[in-house]
Amino acid sequence: SSQAPGSRPPELKGLINHLPPYYTPEGPDDRTLVFESRFESGNLRRAVQVYEFEYDLILNPDYNTKSHTQWYLFRVSNTRRGPQYRFNILNMVKPTSVYNEGMRPLRYSCIDAAMKGIGWVRNGEKIAYYQNGLRRVKGSNYYTLTFTVVFNHDCDEVYFSHCY
């Protein structure tokens, strides 16, 4: 779906934009992504940069569950056009996923929405969902969803989601 130029998707209205970021780039050459999820339905707990263009992500568990994590919604900014970024969501809980059957994460670029009227699109390459070595309190393992993206614009704000 498309939005009016410069607007955020309706499901993301009510964003709290006055909160200071967890990380502020040190200058124009700092290519570190800035992650944010302090908005309605955002559920990213932590993002750790493990390589220049790779990030390990930990989700907050779903509300009213016992640590169930199977969906996600977060935003990145300070994007750079060209490099391939890898996101690894480390604490998924289902033993199987439709990501291994061809499903792709959703992406919403604020610049694409404003300039071209493009809304949410399925995006991502090198997608895999697999059991990792992290153990849950109950003794079962966590699962990782990993995927790569290439951003179309420098300094964009891009949302990623499981569904909308």
Side-chain angles (χ1 to χ4, degrees), residues 8 30 37 48 61 67 73 75 84 87 133 140-142 151 157:
R8 291 210 164 52
D30 186 346
S37 69
V48 177
S67 69
L73 174 60
R75 176 181 75 216
Q84 180 176 270
F87 298 135
S140 58
N141 286 318
Y142 281 111
F151 295 110
E157 287 188 336

Side-chain angles (χ1 to χ4, degrees), residues 10-73:
E11 56 275 18
L12 298 178
K13 294 292 185 196
L15 291 173
I16 303 173
N17 286 326
H18 64 276
L19 293 173
Y22 289 114
Y23 178 79
T24 302
E26 297 175 359
D29 294 331
D30 186 346
R31 301 190 299 186
T32 305
L33 292 178
V34 178
F35 288 80
E36 183 58 72
S37 69
R38 293 174 290 177
F39 49 81
E40 180 85 27
S41 297
N43 69 333
L44 182 66
R45 177 181 288 178
R46 179 174 297 166
V48 177
Q49 186 175 19
V50 292
Y51 296 106
E52 184 176 12
F53 300 112
E54 183 170 356
Y55 295 83
D56 285 349
L57 310 176
I58 303 290
L59 304 176
N60 281 320
D62 300 356
Y63 290 107
N64 299 315
T65 70
K66 296 181 179 181
S67 69
H68 183 82
T69 50
Q70 199 55 38
W71 61 275
Y72 52 90
L73 174 60

